[in-house]
Structure formats: structure tokens, C-alpha cells
């Protein structure tokens, strides 16, 4: 009888360890800084754009972002402003349609309601205490990761309602996502000088940037 109790306890301990390990290790979001390509030695304003590959996207954001956005094309826009004026552009000033940041985040988010349901079923069918604790840890981790994704996207991703400003003597590097069906190899960017309200139109060949 003692041996049986020891075996059951040992199995439950292993089960608990596995459940907690799965709950704590699966969701990590560790984005990397964007590389600001191109020279900023000009005395004017320089605009560069580059299509990011799936491996680029996985590196700068995460493998999950790359996997969940396979129907989208990420484009990095780098602007060096070496003038004394501030420039700005809206997402609508880009010649390709830009995906809304919230729509993009929803694709990437871990859905906590579904996870709560899964852990609840395991809780009822197998062992209540173990999967209750593991479920709480898992959902907390997923919620924390979702917040990190939102914060990162707010800082680095252009949304369809974004207005981006480039201050004097600064560089801005951001990424926007385009539906694959609407992607074109040529990109037009309209930049407006906030002082004079003069608009400069920049045409870029994304193929030549690779």
C-alpha cells in the first residue's frame, strides 16, 4: 500500500512539473531593435524602404509574429532627417494599404479565453489542483506576453491611422504590414514639412533596396 501511494505521489509530482513547465516556458516575446540601414550623412532628408523576409520578421519581432502574418508583407521604412525642420507623414500617404495595428496584434495574441477553457477541461478530467495552478500561471504569462506585443507594436509598427513625425536631426525606423494581395514593388511616400506645409513625394523601388 505504501509503495502504491509513493508511486501515485511520484506520478503526480512529475505531472505537476510538466504542467508548470509547459505553462511557464511556452510564451516569450523578445523583440530585437530594428537596423537603421542607409547613410544619414546627407544634409537633406533621406527615405529608404526594404521588404523584410520571414527570417527578418522573426528576428526583429518573433517567430510567432512571422508565422501568424504569412498573408502579410512587412516593410521597414527608415527616414534620416538631417534638416532643421520637422517632417511628418500619415499612413494614408503611403501608396500601399497598411494593416491596422490592432488587427495585427489580434493575429499574434495568445487567446486567454481558449486557454482557460483548455486548462479547465484538464482540471476536471485529470487532477484539479495541478491544472488550476498551471492554468493560472499559463494565462498570466499569455496576458503578459500580449501586453509586450502591444507595447512593441505601438512603438515600432505603423498602423493605418498612424501619423509619424521625424524631428530635426533624427532617424525614424518603423515597420508597416501590407496585405500580400496588395503588395507592390514600388512604394511612394509623401512627406510634409510641418513648418512650410510643403509636401515632397519620394518614390522607392523595393527590389533595388534588397
Amino acid at each position: 500500500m505504501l509503495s502504491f501511494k509513493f508511486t501515485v505521489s511520484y506520478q503526480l509530482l512529475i505531472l505537476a512539473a510538466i504542467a508548470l513547465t509547459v505553462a511557464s516556458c511556452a510564451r516569450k516575446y523578445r523583440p530585437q531593435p530594428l537596423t537603421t540601414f542607409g547613410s544619414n550623412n546627407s544634409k537633406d532628408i533621406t527615405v529608404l524602404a526594404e521588404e523584410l523576409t520571414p527570417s527578418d520578421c522573426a528576428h526583429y519581432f518573433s517567430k510567432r509574429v512571422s508565422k501568424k502574418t504569412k498573408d502579410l508583407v512587412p516593410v521597414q521604412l527608415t527616414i534620416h532627417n538631417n534638416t532643421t525642420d520637422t517632417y511628418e507623414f500619415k499612413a494614408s500617404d503611403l501608396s500601399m494599404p497598411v494593416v491596422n495595428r490592432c488587427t495585427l496584434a489580434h493575429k499574434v495574441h495568445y487567446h486567454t479565453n481558449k486557454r482557460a477553457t483548455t486548462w479547465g477541461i484538464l482540471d476536471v478530467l485529470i487532477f484539479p489542483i495541478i491544472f488550476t495552478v498551471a492554468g493560472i500561471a499559463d494565462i498570466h504569462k499569455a496576458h503578459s506576453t500580449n501586453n509586450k506585443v502591444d507595447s512593441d507594436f505601438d512603438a515600432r509598427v505603423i498602423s493605418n491611422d498612424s501619423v509619424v513625425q521625424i524631428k530635426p536631426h533624427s532617424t525614424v525606423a518603423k515597420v508597416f504590414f501590407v496585405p500580400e494581395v496588395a503588395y507592390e514593388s514600388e512604394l511612394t511616400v509623401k512627406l510634409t514639412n510641418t513648418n512650410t506645409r510643403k509636401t515632397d513625394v519620394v518614390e522607392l523601388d523595393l527590389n533595388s533596396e534588397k
Side-chain angles (χ1 to χ4, degrees):
M1 180 64 71
L2 182 61
S3 176
F4 174 75
K5 288 182 178 180
F6 177 79
T7 301
V8 171
S9 299
Y10 183 70
Q11 289 175 341
L12 290 176
L13 184 61
I14 292 176
L15 186 61
I18 293 172
L20 291 173
T21 300
V22 170
S24 63
C25 296
R27 286 147 304 287
K28 295 179 181 179
Y29 186 71
R30 297 186 178 127
Q32 300 298 314
L34 293 170
T35 300
T36 54
F37 52 86
S39 172
N40 62 350
N41 294 325
S42 170
K43 293 182 180 180
D44 205 344
I45 189 161
T46 306
V47 183
L48 304 122
E50 181 179 50
E51 176 190 340
L52 298 182
T53 65
S55 60
D56 290 334
C57 188
H59 172 72
Y60 290 129
F61 294 96
S62 72
K63 290 181 180 180
R64 181 176 176 83
V65 172
S66 181
K67 179 181 178 181
K68 293 292 183 178
T69 59
K70 286 183 177 180
D71 58 333
L72 306 174
V73 180
V75 178
Q76 180 180 335
L77 193 63
T78 301
I79 303 176
H80 302 289
N81 181 9
N82 291 315
T83 74
T84 57
D85 294 326
T86 296
Y87 284 80
E88 70 176 18
F89 69 90
K90 301 176 183 177
S92 57
D93 292 327
L94 304 175
S95 59
M96 287 186 279
V98 177
V99 175
N100 182 272
R101 191 160 45 219
C102 292
T103 301
L104 184 65
H106 183 74
K107 281 176 168 284
V108 178
H109 277 176
Y110 292 95
H111 300 295
T112 53
N113 289 340
K114 292 180 180 179
R115 306 188 82 82
T117 301
T118 301
W119 284 112
I121 292 172
L122 292 172
D123 187 45
V124 171
L125 296 180
I126 302 178
F127 198 83
I129 296 177
I130 291 175
F131 289 102
T132 297
V133 174
I136 292 172
D138 177 68
I139 293 169
H140 173 75
K141 186 74 174 180
H143 183 68
S144 176
T145 300
N146 289 346
N147 287 339
K148 290 179 181 179
V149 169
D150 291 342
S151 296
D152 185 45
F153 282 11
D154 286 344
R156 301 197 298 167
V157 174
I158 299 172
S159 182
N160 65 339
D161 55 357
S162 292
V163 178
V164 180
Q165 283 199 338
I166 310 97
K167 299 292 185 181
H169 304 291
S170 70
T171 296
V172 169
K174 290 182 179 288
V175 174
F176 61 92
F177 289 76
V178 181
E180 190 173 27
V181 294
Y183 176 78
E184 298 177 352
S185 61
E186 295 182 352
L187 173 68
T188 301
V189 183
K190 296 179 182 178
L191 291 173
T192 301
N193 185 313
T194 61
N195 296 324
T196 64
R197 303 313 301 175
K198 177 184 176 182
T199 298
D200 293 326
V201 179
V202 181
E203 295 183 352
L204 302 168
D205 184 350
L206 296 179
N207 287 334
S208 68
E209 300 290 338
K210 294 180 181 180

